Structures are given as C-alpha cells and as structure tokens.
Amino acid sequence: MSNDTLDKLVIFLAKRDGIDKLVKTYQYVSKLAHWHLDESQPDLARRFKQWEVAAGMSRKAFRSGRSLTGLNLIRRSPGPTRGLRTLAVLGNAGEMVYFFFDHFTWLSRLGVLDTKLAKKMSYISAFGESVGYVFFIISDFILMHEGLRKEKLLLKGLNEGDQKKEEEVKELKEGVGKIRGDRVMRLMAVAANVADLIIAVAEIEPNPFCCHTLTLGISGLVSAWAGWYRNWPS
C-alpha cells in the first residue's frame, strides 16, 4: 500500500460517512455469512449474527445528530431551480425523519426506552427514509439528464476545434470531464439509494423478495460500496 493510498484511507475513515460505510460492510457481510452458515455451522453462524447486530447498533450510534445535516442543506443550498429546490426539501425532509426517529429505535432496542417502541419507531424511520430516497433518485436523474445536454453542447464545440484556440479546446475537454465525473458520482448515489430503498421497503411492507436475506445482504453491500466510492478522497 502506497503512502498516498494510506493517507486517503486515514482521511476516509476520519469521516463519519467513511466509518459508517466500513461498519455497514461488516454488517451485511456478517448477515450473508450467517445465512450461508446457519444450517452447516450453527455456532459460527451465531457469532456472525452477533457481529451483524453489533454493527447495526454501532451505525445507529454514529448517526447521532445526523438529522441536522439535512436541515442545514435545506437552509443553505437546496438547489439552483425551483423544481430541484422542491425535490431537495422533500428528500432531505424524509431523510431528517429517518435519522431523527432512528435515535428512538436505537434507544428502545438498547432498553433505555420501552422496547415495545422499537418496531413503531423503526417503521416511521424507514418510511421517512424511503420517501427521501425517491426524491433524491428523481433529482439525480434530472441532473444527469441536464449534464448530458450540456455535454452534447461541449462535444459539438470540440468537433469545431479547428476554429478554436488550444486553450479553448482544453477548457471544453475539462468541462466534458467534469460532467462525466459528476455523472459517475450521481450513478453511484442512485445505486446506493435504490439499494437502501429496497431495505427500507422490507421494513415498511415486508415481502418475500425484499425480505430475503440474499436481497438484503446484496443491497446493503451495494449501498456500502457505492458510498465508499463517493466518499473516497480524490
């Protein structure tokens, strides 16, 4: 491992989102391991189950106060247009409900609050989470579509490069690169949000597909690794 990679790993793990994605990887790898070993090696499967539960509870602790992030985003930079501002407000509002009620889910599962509250708080949290993800996904698709339109205009300018100065051509290429980089990040965000939406739906409206351990495990890892990609220092 090079020094640059180690530096980036240290920076990544110093972020709240970075450590969350690492522990989320633990959580869903252990979920899949428990499912795979449940019949053949029950004792080892039990240990993986304990790891899964501990990782899930740890992530809830790390998210303390996270609901304020959505409020701050709404307050400072909700979006450049009225439509995107509306989507940002709705998306962040849903996420704020998710993180806020997740505190009560955590405390009730620990036994600090009445344990009977856990299921209800978890439902409200998952409902807010799913609403937020829907609006975030719509917003990302709108912005990717807008990026494609701008990219076409820039590529059209590049095709007329013989009539432009070298500096102008360089600026156009940099513009195309930035748009493509942004699109990759948004695709990662969509992948993570769709995966997390599946997990939330399993809580809100249990069904054989969403509640299957394989579906939940793969969805959790897709979300975690998309988050790794998005938060990894450039």
Side-chain angles (χ1 to χ4, degrees):
M1 182 181 290
S2 68
N3 289 334
D4 284 344
T5 304
L6 181 59
D7 286 343
K8 289 179 179 180
L9 181 60
V10 170
I11 293 168
F12 175 79
L13 293 177
K15 299 177 183 177
R16 173 152 58 175
D17 281 342
I19 197 69
D20 178 69
K21 302 315 172 194
L22 176 63
V23 179
K24 190 171 189 176
T25 301
Y26 295 159
Q27 180 183 358
Y28 287 97
V29 165
S30 57
K31 176 181 277 293
L32 290 172
H34 170 261
W35 171 72
H36 180 67
L37 298 169
D38 193 29
E39 293 184 3
S40 60
Q41 300 184 56
D43 185 60
L44 186 57
R46 178 182 55 79
R47 297 180 189 184
F48 275 113
K49 184 62 179 179
Q50 290 173 337
W51 191 14
E52 177 199 343
V53 172
M57 294 296 282
S58 297
R59 290 184 62 227
K60 291 183 184 301
F62 295 147
R63 293 197 291 260
S64 297
R66 184 69 183 272
S67 56
L68 297 175
T69 303
L71 178 62
N72 199 44
L73 287 170
I74 292 172
R75 187 170 68 97
R76 292 194 173 276
S77 55
T81 66
R82 180 179 294 179
L84 288 172
R85 283 195 292 271
T86 301
L87 289 170
V89 169
L90 293 171
N92 281 290
E95 193 174 65
M96 285 164 61
V97 170
Y98 161 44
F99 286 126
F100 181 75
F101 283 93
D102 200 44
H103 295 142
F104 298 105
T105 305
W106 171 50
L107 292 172
S108 57
R109 286 180 178 170
L110 285 174
V112 176
L113 299 178
D114 189 344
T115 54
K116 294 178 181 178
L117 288 172
K119 189 171 181 62
K120 186 175 182 180
M121 294 298 102
S122 181
Y123 180 90
I124 296 171
S125 178
F127 185 83
E129 179 184 16
S130 61
V131 169
Y133 290 144
V134 168
F135 290 114
F136 285 141
I137 290 166
I138 293 170
S139 178
D140 279 324
F141 273 117
I142 290 172
L143 289 166
M144 282 191 288
H145 181 267
E146 181 66 18
L148 285 170
R149 188 185 65 80
K150 291 179 180 178
E151 184 181 349
K152 286 179 181 178
L153 291 174
L154 291 175
L155 289 173
K156 185 178 179 181
L158 279 173
N159 291 333
E160 300 169 355
D162 293 340
Q163 304 170 14
K164 296 182 181 294
K165 295 179 180 179
E166 186 177 340
E167 290 183 2
E168 291 177 331
V169 172
K170 185 179 178 182
E171 286 179 5
L172 289 172
K173 288 182 177 179
E174 287 177 353
V176 171
K178 286 180 181 178
I179 290 171
R180 289 177 177 173
D182 179 74
R183 184 158 62 245
V184 169
M185 287 298 186
R186 293 195 182 281
L187 284 170
M188 290 295 105
V190 169
N193 287 336
V194 169
D196 284 330
L197 180 59
I198 291 171
I199 296 171
V201 169
E203 178 69 31
I204 300 167
E205 192 65 37
N207 62 81
F209 173 73
C210 290
C211 291
H212 194 284
T213 304
L214 195 58
T215 303
L216 291 171
I218 292 173
S219 296
L221 290 178
V222 167
S223 173
W225 293 341
W228 272 80
Y229 186 90
R230 294 176 64 211
N231 288 284
W232 189 258
S234 56

